[in-house]
Amino acid sequence: MPEKNTYPVQLVQPDGHRVFDRVHAPLVADVGRDELRAMYTDMVVARRIDTEATALQRQGQLGLWPPLLGQEAAQVGSAHALHADDYVFCSYREAAVAYCRGVPPEDMTRLWRGVAHSCWDADAYRMTNPAIVVGAQGLHATGYAYAAHLEGAEIATIAYFGDGATSQGDISEALGFASSWGAPVVFFCQNNGWAISAPTRVQSATPIARRAIGYGIPAVQVDGNDALAVLAVTRQALIRARTGGGPSFIEAITYRMGPHTTADDPTRYRDAAELELWQRRDPIDRLRRLLEREGLWDSAFEQQVKQRGDEIAARLRSATLSMPDPEPMELFEHVYATPHRLVEQERREYAAYLEGVRP
């Protein structure tokens, strides 16, 4: 018998109309005017951060930047579900999540500027720094979640990654460990359609969420451009984690409207018509239409949001341009928590090299 068709969870259509969903709508029944406006504001500010950082890279002020354009609802909707004591393990694209966790814009480009090994203090915001090793954070999140469980901490851990990371062995190992040991971790896959130039159909012959089901982990697909639906399913998964229900897997179907990183040219591998289709599903426009339909939109609010975005972008630009260049030997600081023989050897060799090239 053919399997029953299932569709991604959706609570708001692209035109702003609400969708009746008796399972997931109650999970966000408390979300009113203030929370909807807060999510909209965070999404607009996140896009403003992204466009400013992209501009800085194009102007030669950043070495690299991984744009999040089009993925604002997936990141902000899920971040709004988190508690302050939950822990986030990110990939390299979650600037919107970082903003929602309280990371100041002044810290967001330090790594990409090449002046430090990291951007922010992970413990201060309970969120790891950008992880360039694809998929490694899945294992880190699982181990942290299991340790927290053993200590009796009633928290959840969430790991963000893209569709391409699901082809990495680290994610498979993390799913297996989390399932076997009941680790309270939420695996949040932002399926943005492309793993650099490889489309999702090359990554998996079946929906990515089904991979988790094969490990015995409950999984759900959600419209990743619907912030309210993302909030609902993430809340559901986090409740499961905090109450001893074990891991969950969320596949947020979204779209990367920009390049994979600023070193990429997406026009070489994807059709302009595909981009145009997804631009009509813009997550920010969708939430604005909901606000308009429900009488929660006015010009004063619109101006307030714009001013907030401009303020944050100005802070990010100013901080980036004024970051001091580190001394060369600082390269060997903060690599390991304790002294390391090989690092010390490299430090001596590099010091000798510098002495040889200096006049």
Side-chain angles (χ1 to χ4, degrees):
M1 295 292 291
E3 295 183 12
K4 178 182 177 181
N5 288 334
T6 58
Y7 301 93
V9 175
Q10 185 183 79
L11 296 180
V12 181
Q13 296 176 358
D15 62 3
H17 278 100
R18 291 204 184 237
V19 176
F20 175 72
D21 183 325
R22 68 181 65 200
V23 175
H24 298 94
L27 292 163
V28 290
D30 63 311
V31 176
R33 170 186 177 273
D34 292 345
E35 177 67 12
L36 287 172
R37 282 187 161 194
M39 284 199 295
Y40 179 84
T41 301
D42 287 348
M43 288 166 64
V44 171
V45 172
R47 181 168 292 186
R48 193 71 178 82
I49 289 171
D50 186 59
T51 55
E52 194 68 31
T54 299
L56 284 165
Q57 193 283 328
R58 298 308 190 200
Q59 294 160 8
Q61 300 300 330
L62 297 180
L64 189 73
W65 179 256
L68 61 88
L69 182 65
Q71 298 179 223
E72 295 87 356
Q75 294 192 23
V76 172
S78 57
H80 273 242
L82 296 167
H83 290 180
D85 57 352
D86 292 334
Y87 213 106
V88 177
F89 288 79
C90 67
S91 66
Y92 43 76
R93 203 183 301 279
E94 282 74 43
V97 179
Y99 176 73
C100 291
R101 296 297 281 176
V103 174
E106 290 83 356
D107 289 348
M108 289 189 178
T109 58
R110 295 172 73 240
L111 172 68
W112 309 108
R113 176 81 164 173
V115 302
H117 288 304
S118 61
C119 291
W120 55 80
D121 181 346
D123 286 339
Y125 305 102
R126 298 189 67 77
M127 177 174 177
T128 60
N129 272 268
I132 307 301
V133 180
V134 177
Q137 69 274 18
L139 286 169
H140 304 157
T142 301
Y144 187 95
Y146 186 59
H149 166 70
L150 293 178
E151 292 180 353
E154 295 181 359
I155 68 166
T157 299
I158 187 168
Y160 287 92
F161 50 91
D163 49 293
T166 64
S167 294
Q168 296 288 337
D170 285 1
I171 293 297
S172 295
E173 292 167 9
L175 292 172
F177 188 98
S179 176
S180 298
W181 293 88
V185 58
V186 176
F187 295 98
F188 194 97
C189 174
Q190 293 177 84
N191 183 351
N192 63 19
W194 293 88
I196 311 184
S197 60
T200 302
R201 65 178 181 275
V202 175
Q203 300 295 315
S204 179
T206 63
I208 289 174
R210 290 190 182 182
R211 292 185 172 185
I213 295 173
Y215 286 91
I217 297 177
V220 62
Q221 281 188 321
V222 63
D223 184 337
N225 284 12
D226 177 355
L228 202 57
V230 173
L231 176 63
V233 299
T234 309
R235 278 182 169 181
Q236 186 179 48
L238 292 170
I239 291 170
R240 174 182 170 84
R242 295 190 195 103
T243 56
S248 300
F249 190 101
I250 297 169
E251 180 187 0
I253 309 298
T254 182
Y255 192 76
R256 166 172 57 80
M257 288 200 256
H260 174 71
T261 70
T262 48
D264 173 41
D265 178 8
T267 64
R268 298 180 61 185
Y269 55 80
R270 75 183 182 196
D271 194 283
E274 179 180 295
L275 176 60
E276 182 181 350
L277 171 66
W278 280 92
Q279 286 174 332
R280 295 198 295 269
R281 302 173 183 174
D282 187 295
I284 293 179
D285 291 345
R286 184 182 308 200
L287 190 50
R288 173 175 174 158
R289 292 181 185 120
L290 174 66
L291 292 170
E292 289 173 338
R293 287 185 178 279
E294 300 194 349
L296 305 177
W297 182 270
D298 56 55
S299 58
F301 172 64
E302 182 178 20
Q303 184 61 27
Q304 175 187 332
V305 173
K306 182 181 184 305
Q307 289 178 350
R308 178 63 174 167
D310 290 344
E311 172 198 343
I312 294 297
R315 287 170 56 187
L316 182 142
R317 172 171 285 271
S318 176
T320 300
L321 297 180
S322 61
M323 288 176 182
D325 291 335
E327 289 297 320
M329 295 306 297
E330 290 182 27
L331 178 67
F332 302 97
E333 301 297 329
H334 311 296
V335 178
Y336 288 95
T338 57
H340 193 285
R341 180 175 57 83
L342 292 179
V343 173
E344 292 306 314
Q345 177 183 337
E346 291 172 351
R347 185 198 301 270
R348 291 190 299 271
E349 292 174 352
Y350 191 57
Y353 165 77
L354 291 176
E355 288 300 319
V357 298
R358 286 174 175 168

